[in-house]
Amino acid sequence: MPAPDPQAALKSKASGDVQKIYADLAARPLDRQCQLRTGCCHFQATGKIPLLTRGEALVAAKALRATGRKSLPARADGACPLLDAITSRCLIYESRPFGCRTHFCQAAGGPYPRSHVLDLIRRLEEIDASLGGDGPHPLPAAISSALADRA
Ligand code: SF4
């Protein structure tokens, strides 16, 4: 039997911990309802790109692989590469990053106050550090890196 891969175990634990953070966010009493309008997914229009810690990128990359893709789809219009060009839906909605759940969309109720989610951000930072990360990176680069790192 092959020896257990400590890196794989670490990543598996990190992915589970990130998903727990997403669940804890959803259970918070502050009411936010994403309307699936995808305005925030058009980075060029908003001028804002979500920043992902390494754990978030691992979760997003796993979800993208589950769709049968091995790399980020190309977008020529400056939108998020995970926004499906045909359906205009997020390819990984259930696994979308923290920033996609908490940001600035007024239709969803406006941004979360930082004080309301600071403890969750700290947990994401701790997971990032446990994976040898160096802090958050813009979504395309973060997920491309996670897709390339299959250890
Ligand atoms: S990951 Fe999904 S929700 Fe987040 S910006 Fe991209 S398409 Fe939108």
Side-chain angles (χ1 to χ4, degrees):
M1 192 190 327
D5 180 348
Q7 274 300 311
L10 183 62
K11 288 177 182 176
S12 177
K13 180 183 182 316
S15 294
D17 289 347
V18 168
Q19 283 162 334
K20 177 73 168 59
I21 291 168
Y22 293 165
D24 288 350
L25 174 67
R28 297 262 157 123
L30 207 60
D31 189 29
R32 291 290 183 276
Q33 295 296 330
C34 173
Q35 307 288 323
L36 298 176
R37 295 189 186 177
T38 72
C40 56
C41 308
H42 291 269
F43 301 158
Q44 195 163 300
T46 64
K48 298 180 181 178
I49 299 178
L51 301 176
L52 276 64
T53 54
R54 190 166 285 191
E56 294 169 84
L58 282 179
V59 169
K62 183 178 179 185
L64 186 63
R65 282 193 205 100
T67 72
R69 295 169 174 84
K70 294 181 178 167
S71 60
L72 279 178
R75 292 279 316 208
D77 61 358
C80 177
L82 297 174
L83 186 66
D84 189 276
I86 296 171
T87 66
S88 288
R89 291 291 180 94
C90 176
L91 290 167
I92 60 157
Y93 189 75
E94 297 303 322
S95 299
R96 67 197 186 284
F98 192 79
C100 303
R101 300 164 189 260
T102 57
H103 54 59
F104 46 85
C105 176
Q106 291 302 333
Y112 275 78
R114 185 171 165 82
S115 61
H116 194 82
V117 294
L118 190 56
D119 60 316
L120 302 179
I121 293 171
R122 294 282 180 257
R123 283 164 61 188
L124 288 170
E125 290 172 345
E126 286 169 12
I127 295 167
D128 186 72
S130 76
L131 292 166
D134 59 356
H137 291 269
L139 182 151
I143 298 180
S144 289
S145 175
L147 285 167
D149 181 9
R150 294 226 55 172

